[in-house]
Amino acid sequence: KRHLQQRKPKVRKMVLQMLDDDMPTACTTIEEVGSTGVGALTVAFIILVVVAVVFLAKATASGEQKRYYYCATYIAAFTALAYFAMLSGQGWTAIAGCRQFFYARFAEMLVTEPLLILMLGLIANADASTIGAAVGADVVYILCLYMGAVSVVTTVKWFWFLVSIIALGGIISSLARSFKDAAALRTAEVAELYGKVAWLTILVWICYPVVWLFSTGFASFSVSFEVCAYAILDVIMKCVISFMVMSAHDTLGQAVSTSKEIV
C-alpha cells in the first residue's frame, strides 16, 4: 500500500508534465484571413443570399414540394448569416497555433446540417427515428470538431477529432443505408434522385474534416486557403445540392401524390 501511495503522486506529476508540454505559448501575432479569403467570403455570401431568395420564392409558389424548399431556404439563409458575421469580423477567436478560428461556422453548421439531413430524410421518406438518429450523430460530429479546434492540449484535440470521425461514420451509414432503403420503397425516379443527392452530400461531407485536418489540425493550410476551401464546400452543399432537389420538382410532387393514394 505504501508503495502504491508513493507511485500515485509520481503518475499524477507525469500526466501534468505531459499536459504542460503540450500547452501553447502566448501569441504575439495572429494569422488572420487575407484578401483572398475575404473575397471568397464575399462571393459565397452573395451566392447564398441569392439562392435563399430563389428558394423562398419557389417555396411560396409550390404545393406539396414546399417542405423541401423551406428546408433549402433556411439552409442557405443561415449560412449567409454566418458568412455575414465572418465578413464583419465577428464570430472568431484565436486558437492554439495563433490562428484565426471562425466559430460562427460551427454555430451555422449546428442549424444547417440537421436541416440538410431532414431534407434528405423527407426525400427518402425515412421514419422520424432514423432521421433523429442521423441528426444526433451530426450534432456530436460538429461539437467534437469545435472542441478539437479550441483545445489547447494537442492530445485532447486529436481525441475530439477521432470522436468526430466516428460520428461522421454514423451519419454516412444512415445516408448510405437506412435512408437509401427507405428511398427504394418510393418511385424509381425518387430513388434515383436520392442516390445522386446523397452521394454528392457524402462526398462533400468527407471533405470538411479533411480541410479541418490540414488547417486547424496540422496548420498546413493558411487561414485564407482554409476559408476558400470551406466556401467552396458550403456552396456545393448548401446551394448545388438544393438545386438538384429543385430540379426534380415534378418528380417529388408525383411521389407525394402516390404516397397519399397508397395511404
Side-chain angles (χ1 to χ4, degrees):
K1 289 183 179 179
R2 183 177 302 174
H3 179 67
L4 291 174
Q5 289 176 352
Q6 291 176 348
R7 289 192 60 185
K8 285 182 179 179
K10 292 182 178 180
V11 172
R12 188 181 298 110
K13 185 177 180 180
M14 289 176 59
V15 172
L16 292 175
Q17 183 63 43
M18 290 174 61
L19 294 177
D20 289 338
D21 292 340
D22 283 337
M23 292 292 286
T25 57
C27 296
T28 55
T29 58
I30 299 173
E31 181 188 356
E32 298 185 26
V33 62
S35 58
T36 303
V38 172
L41 289 174
T42 304
V43 172
F45 170 70
I46 294 172
I47 292 173
L48 288 161
V49 169
V50 172
V51 168
V53 173
V54 171
F55 288 152
L56 180 60
K58 190 70 174 177
T60 55
S62 298
E64 299 292 345
Q65 302 95 328
K66 63 183 178 182
R67 56 183 180 174
Y68 308 108
Y69 299 135
Y70 277 128
C71 287
T73 299
Y74 283 111
I75 288 171
F78 275 109
T79 308
L81 290 175
Y83 272 79
F84 178 76
M86 290 186 282
L87 272 172
S88 303
Q90 298 175 312
W92 72 273
T93 187
I95 59 173
C98 302
R99 291 174 60 92
Q100 186 178 28
F101 168 68
F102 289 102
Y103 59 80
R105 184 183 309 283
F106 290 81
E108 164 262 309
M109 289 168 65
L110 278 173
V111 177
T112 58
E113 290 191 1
L115 284 174
L116 178 62
I117 291 173
L118 175 61
M119 184 171 68
L120 292 174
L122 291 173
I123 293 173
N125 199 30
D127 60 83
S129 60
T130 302
I131 296 174
V135 169
D138 182 52
V139 171
V140 173
Y141 159 73
I142 296 168
L143 290 178
C144 288
L145 278 184
Y146 170 79
M147 293 302 297
V150 298
S151 296
V152 295
V153 179
T154 304
T155 51
V156 174
K157 174 176 70 173
W158 292 118
F159 170 80
W160 285 118
F161 179 74
L162 177 61
V163 176
S164 74
I165 295 301
I166 295 173
L168 178 60
I171 302 170
I172 293 174
S173 177
S174 295
L175 297 183
R177 300 177 61 183
S178 303
F179 282 38
K180 182 181 178 182
D181 292 342
L185 299 177
R186 306 194 76 182
T187 63
E189 292 79 7
V190 172
E192 182 181 2
L193 169 66
Y194 175 80
K196 293 178 180 178
V197 173
W199 284 113
L200 179 58
T201 302
I202 291 171
L203 179 61
V204 175
W205 229 318
I206 292 173
C207 293
Y208 277 96
V210 173
V211 175
W212 188 99
L213 183 66
F214 290 102
S215 55
T216 306
F218 294 130
S220 300
F221 295 163
S222 66
V223 174
S224 287
F225 187 89
E226 174 190 359
V227 167
C228 291
Y230 278 132
I232 293 172
L233 294 176
D234 283 340
V235 169
I236 296 174
M237 178 170 277
K238 316 295 171 61
C239 300
V240 174
I241 290 175
S242 295
F243 271 115
M244 290 174 64
V245 175
M246 181 182 290
S247 67
H249 179 89
D250 294 334
T251 299
L252 293 173
Q254 291 172 2
V256 172
S257 299
T258 303
S259 298
K260 286 185 174 181
E261 289 176 2
I262 294 174
V263 173

